[in-house]
Amino acid sequence: LWSQRGHQSLFFSPPLVTSMELNDANLQTLTEFLRKTLDPDPTVRRPAEKFLESVEGNQNYPLLLLTLLEKSQDNVIRVCAAVTFKNYIKRNWRIEDEPNKVSDPDRTAIKANIVNLMLSSPEQIQKQLSDAISIIGREDFPQKWPDLLTEMVTRFRSGDFHIINGVLRTAHSLFKRYRHEFKSNELWSEIKLVLDTFALPLTELFKATIELCQTHATDVNALKVLFSSLTLISKLFYSLNFQDLPEFFEDNMETWMTNFHGLLTLDNKLLQTDDEEEAGLLELLKSQICDNAALYAQKYDEEFQPYLPRFVTAIWNLLVSTGQEVKYDLLVSNAIQFLASVCERPHYKHLFEDQNTLTSICEKVIVPNMEFRSADEEAFEDNSEEYIRRDLEGSDIDTRRRAACDLVRGLCKFFEGPVTAIFSGYVNSMLGEYAKNPGENWKHKDAAIYLVTSLASKAQTQKHGITQANELVNLNEFFVNHILSDLKSPNVNEFPVLKADAIKYVMIFRSQLPKEQLLQAVPLLISHLQAESTVEHTYAAHALERLFTMRGPSNTTLITPAEMAPFTEQLLNNLFKSLALPGSAENEYIMKAIMRSFSLLQEAIVPYIPTLIGQLTHKLLLVSKNPSKPHFNHYLFESLCLSVRITCKANPATVSSFEEALFPVFTEILQNDVQEFLPYVFQVMSLLLEIHSNSIPSSYMALFPHLLQPALWERTGNIPPLVRLLQAYLEKGGATIAASAADKIPGLLGVFQKLIASKANDHQGFYLLNSIIEHMPPESITQYRKQIFILLFQRLQSSKTTKFIKSFLVFVNLYSVKYGAIALQEIFDSIQPKMFGMVLEKIIIPEVQKVSGPVEKKICAVGITKVLTECPAMMDTEYTKLWTPLLQALIGLFELPEDDSIPDDEHFIDIEDTPGYQTAFSQLAFAGKKEHDPIGDAVGNPKILLAQSLHKLSTACPGRVPSMLSTSLNAEALQYLQGYLQAATVQLV
């Protein structure tokens, strides 16, 4: 069954790398499959995707794709090949410890050709290749791709701006990570290398491009190309200056800042666009320059001081003269952000001190940009998802309102009193306008609420909403006088924007409002779940979900299930009904609110589950046809887990009715190989199986062989939940498997073998192995035991990491606990004479201090105690010299602090981090597994067990134990040991 050749045992042979010739037949085949991947019909599309996935390990595959994107006659195929190539690089370029799917000759060929290809391709393909270069660069640059930059910089001289912009775009995607990387010597030396090669040519290009803009001032097509270059150059400036102020840019600040200032004040009629929505090149360039100025004002204020006043003036003029159209949103919000970053620096406080200045900022910049425009109204009604993303989640798309809000916060840092006073006047007059004619003037109230919110919020967190508020604003009074009326209005569909504002107010200030007002709001929020407006019912769901997570005194939830009792039925009804509203079939906020309601209400939901589980499984069946909303799907599975846990806690027998409801859908998901859902399905199945008392239902046994298919284990996201599921199988049905599926045991061990070969997943392999040892009848695995140990030794020889050693120690000791110390010694010595002594001396004694976790330490303590006291070879062979050091190591495990040092080079092996960028394992919080102790109550205190076992040993061979102790155990350890003997009330003879 197993052969002795390294890791290649028969049930698990590594995939063979085959080569695909670069010929017309293969190009033709590839073209046909690429075309099928674009087919809307999943029965055509999925098999084609599967085929491409199956050949991506073949040599020349990426080169075939590059040939197609360069030479295919069909433009659609060229673009498709480019996208497929980029995704292939994204998945496979980085090697963690899975087999390397990109052969070395392919890597070399790709790096040799890709820059040229990218520069000579049309823009659509250029963008994909540029992304691919930056993914390769992220891994290989600078060490393994030293000539990348020089190759790019020489192209600046070509004078062809299609090529130059290709280089700039690639450089931008390569350097933009400098904006969010942590400082490290490696990063700094890379940036230094980039600056040495790139800063001067970039500056020369910047100057030359500005001159060309003057030469071609009347040629609109030339200007478009030149301005897109200037925008990219400005973005590169930001990335290269982000970490620190480079000497080169400090010396050349005059050139850069004078030109930036000139560009900010430039207005070329030819570049103005008629489009009201899309930002034009001029706006994009000026937005980036505002960002660059803000970066310098914030980080390098001393060096930037001489330039600051003229930038403040230029940006102020820009703000006062720019219209309300959507195309200016990015520019206006970046310009306001610049002012916000300047006004909160003590250096520049004097610029804003004058009351007239403050008044005019409030009047001309803040108030106009808080207004709810017709474009916002359109988004609210027709593009609700985007609106919610901007308004609720504060996505990266900067809105005018958010920037204006930040400016209010910035000004309040030094001028809270005057600013609050100026705005209170505005708020009152806006509310007055609204009161005169609500139907016409509702937008005034919207702006007033927004102003109050931005004035009142000083500090905010996702978890608690506003945590620090402006003392000068009475939030409670405003809630009672202006917010409650909108929440209480009987027609939930009237003035949806104001309703959404009111709901958001409750949500944002939930930590400031007293509990009785929140309780008053709950039933009102529940009724808003029925609103037709997507934004409104989404906000209602989100607000309820946030209120349900608030902590009250003594670490319970602020709102208790008892307080929810009068509304429980209405809440569950309305939540599920709102999923049926147009636009909300997969609304993640509603699903999260369902999950949170279940979790809060606990057993109060049991009576409703029979109806609700049908709705949840129906929803699951629908979304599994085409999973597109990962968060929604995640909360859906969490809600399923909660239904199972809460109901089965009350009555374990109900597990079978859940299986009846869920298995048909699960079967379909498994048969259609819906990759995104498999990790979830395995977790829910584990949860169900773990509830069964002690037998394994036949419905599970039928599935068992399918869980061992190698294809499932290729995807790293499946590994943790599949291991847990197999552990549940072993725990509930070890004997059943041995009796009725013994032919599957090699397959099970094959999974273990694959996992321990991987540095990232070896701990999962041990979880599986430990369950096999603990739950399988001993005779069912006798024939495989020796081979298991051989595999572990091969891995120890090839790469011995701390994580592997810790897992190995736990396994060896579990084996000793389960099969006895003699069996352990014999199996080691049967592999190689004296092997047992080597393992004790080289691994167990020096490394046991590294074991962490109470259960793991207990297993090691009991296992070592057995070796010390139940293994004759330890008493009268050459192993005897290891007896005292082993006892000393055990006392150390009890008494010394844990050794958690990790060798430097291992610090970077990510335990759960997975190769490639596939959605990694998505852990379900509510499918949680209890920590399992294989020893259980049999041993309460391992120190007492050691004392009792030593006592027993000493009565069997009197005089031996005390003499071994007195000659070589150190005094401190001896003292601890005396303590254990006293506690156990035994003596050594």
Side-chain angles (χ1 to χ4, degrees), residues 648 651-663 688 691-692:
C648 293
N651 176 6
T654 50
V655 68
S656 58
S657 50
F658 282 107
E659 287 163 350
E660 273 166 42
L662 291 167
F663 272 30
L688 291 164
I691 292 168
H692 281 274

Side-chain angles (χ1 to χ4, degrees), residues 193-217:
L193 181 102
V194 169
L195 289 164
D196 293 346
T197 323
F198 209 79
L200 181 64
L202 187 70
T203 309
E204 296 302 327
L205 180 69
F206 181 50
K207 292 194 293 201
T209 312
I210 284 178
E211 277 172 27
L212 285 168
C213 289
Q214 284 147 3
T215 324
H216 297 282

